[in-house]
Amino acid sequence: DGGITQSPKYLFRKEGQNVTLSCEQNLNHDAMYWYRQDPGQGLRLIYYSQIVNDFQKGDIAEGYSVSREKKESFPLTVTSAQKNPTAFYLCASWGIGTEDSYEQYFGPGTRLTVT
Amino acid sequence: AQSVTQLDSHVSVSEGTPVLLRCNYSSSYSPSLFWYVQHPNKGLQLLLKYTSAATLVKGINGFEAEFKKSETSFHLTKPSAHMSDAAEYFCVVRVISNFGNEKLTFGTGTRLTIIP
């Protein structure tokens, strides 16, 4: 089955440590995205990549970094510079879905807790 | 600029009664509109989408939505609520400008509670 996998589902880190969240897709989609979700705020775009070796900042990129060395993979690093890293992180891709129109596909998410 | 407003942060309905989740959008260009559902600690699942074809869109699990350009609305409805519908619902607008820039904007979500 095609889809997006994110690991781990739950992640705990101490303040001051960098942490990398994994995102892999086997949908053959060019575009991939990282969102952050906080209660009552919906989803906010962190970074996105429309093609391998290229990525763009979203609305809240400060304190985060990404890479896109392979089409299938788009890891997100939460650095110690991110002031409020505790959140639910969702990876997504964009491609052709049902009825031959584009739609966004989401992974199951990673809940990061930093103490 | 584009935006999407979900008019209710929380909706409660009794099982078996109709569901209405409201969404208004603003966009300078012709939008594509989506509704996604999210169950606790899960990713988002597409319920339905409008992409300039039929204005009444049918989705999964008995949900449907009607695109009303004159009212800039895309409200989500279901005739009879089921306990399994309890979740968070997001309205999303996607716009591609004349310059080819693409932007996806999410609403803040509506939490649907079903009363037994």
Side-chain angles (χ1 to χ4, degrees), chain A residues 8-73:
Chain A
K9 189 171 177 63
Y10 298 95
L11 191 53
F12 299 88
R13 281 293 183 271
K14 295 288 188 187
E15 195 173 322
Q17 293 179 335
N18 291 355
V19 59
T20 298
L21 280 59
S22 165
C23 176
E24 303 281 329
Q25 55 106 351
N26 61 2
L27 299 164
N28 200 34
H29 290 167
D30 286 315
M32 296 186 74
Y33 303 75
W34 273 105
Y35 294 93
R36 171 185 170 132
Q37 186 176 24
D38 296 282
Q41 294 194 45
L43 274 67
R44 293 183 288 168
L45 181 65
I46 305 172
Y47 267 99
Y48 65 100
S49 167
Q50 294 187 308
I51 198 166
V52 173
N53 292 323
D54 185 56
F55 48 82
Q56 308 293 331
K57 291 182 179 180
D59 299 319
I60 55 164
E62 186 176 348
Y64 299 97
S65 65
V66 293
S67 63
R68 187 86 186 276
E69 297 175 2
K70 298 187 301 181
K71 189 175 188 177
E72 304 79 22
S73 179

Side-chain angles (χ1 to χ4, degrees), chain A residues 9-10 33 35 37 40 42-43 50 59 88 90 94 98 101-104 106-108 111, chain B residues 34 36 38 41-46 49 51 58 88 90 94 102-104 106-109:
Chain A
K9 189 171 177 63
Y10 298 95
Y33 303 75
Y35 294 93
Q37 186 176 24
L43 274 67
Q50 294 187 308
D59 299 319
F88 190 52
L90 286 159
W94 181 262
T98 57
S101 60
Y102 281 87
E103 61 192 62
Q104 190 143 66
F106 286 86
R111 184 166 296 282
Chain B
F34 306 80
Y36 283 85
Q38 184 182 34
N41 293 311
K42 303 283 189 187
L44 277 69
Q45 179 186 15
L46 181 68
K49 58 186 172 183
T51 55
K58 293 187 185 301
E88 185 111 20
F90 292 93
R94 174 180 180 248
E102 172 189 331
K103 187 166 174 64
L104 209 64
F106 286 76
T108 52

Side-chain angles (χ1 to χ4, degrees), chain B residues 64-84:
Chain B
E64 61 182 42
E66 186 172 7
F67 173 70
K68 292 187 177 180
K69 188 175 181 179
S70 60
E71 298 176 11
T72 62
S73 69
F74 190 56
H75 301 335
L76 182 70
T77 60
K78 182 173 180 177
S80 176
H82 191 273
M83 293 301 295
S84 60

Side-chain angles (χ1 to χ4, degrees), chain A residues 68-89:
Chain A
R68 187 86 186 276
E69 297 175 2
K70 298 187 301 181
K71 189 175 188 177
E72 304 79 22
S73 179
F74 191 41
L76 172 74
T77 296
V78 184
T79 76
S80 56
Q82 168 50 233
K83 290 183 171 55
N84 296 298
T86 294
F88 190 52
Y89 290 88

